[in-house]
Amino acid sequence: MSLTVTYDEPSDSLHIDTCAPYREQESDEIKPGILARSNPSNGRIENIEILSFRARLAAGKPIELPVSLESVPIG
C-alpha cells in the first residue's frame, strides 16, 4: 500500500490517500475537523482529510489521528 499526501491551499486541507476518493465511500468525522473515508465493503479507511491544517500546525501541537497503519514490507 502506498500513501499520497497532498495539501490544498484554497481549502487549507491536508489529504492522505491510499486511492482516489470515490462516490461509494462512507465518510465520517473521526475527530473534530478530521474526516475519514472508508471502503464500504470492508470498512478500511482509504482517505483522511485534515481541515484547517495551517492553524493546527501553527498551534504547535501534534496532529493525532485515531487510526493505525498496517506495516507492509518495502521492496
Side-chain angles (χ1 to χ4, degrees):
M1 168 178 61
S2 65
L3 295 176
T4 302
V5 179
T6 55
Y7 175 70
D8 182 62
E9 191 170 357
S11 67
D12 188 25
S13 59
L14 184 78
H15 302 265
I16 304 168
D17 302 311
T18 63
C19 64
Y22 52 94
R23 182 178 297 202
E24 293 81 12
Q25 284 178 314
E26 297 172 358
S27 191
D28 292 302
E29 187 171 29
I30 55 176
K31 285 183 91 170
I34 299 178
L35 308 174
R37 291 181 185 84
S38 303
N39 182 308
S41 299
N42 60 27
R44 289 189 175 175
I45 294 174
E46 297 175 325
N47 310 84
I48 294 176
E49 181 177 1
I50 302 172
L51 306 175
S52 303
F53 186 69
R54 259 191 208 175
R56 292 171 187 268
L57 284 181
K61 296 181 182 178
I63 299 170
E64 295 184 14
L65 302 175
V67 297
S68 61
L69 295 175
E70 293 180 23
S71 178
V72 178
I74 298 175

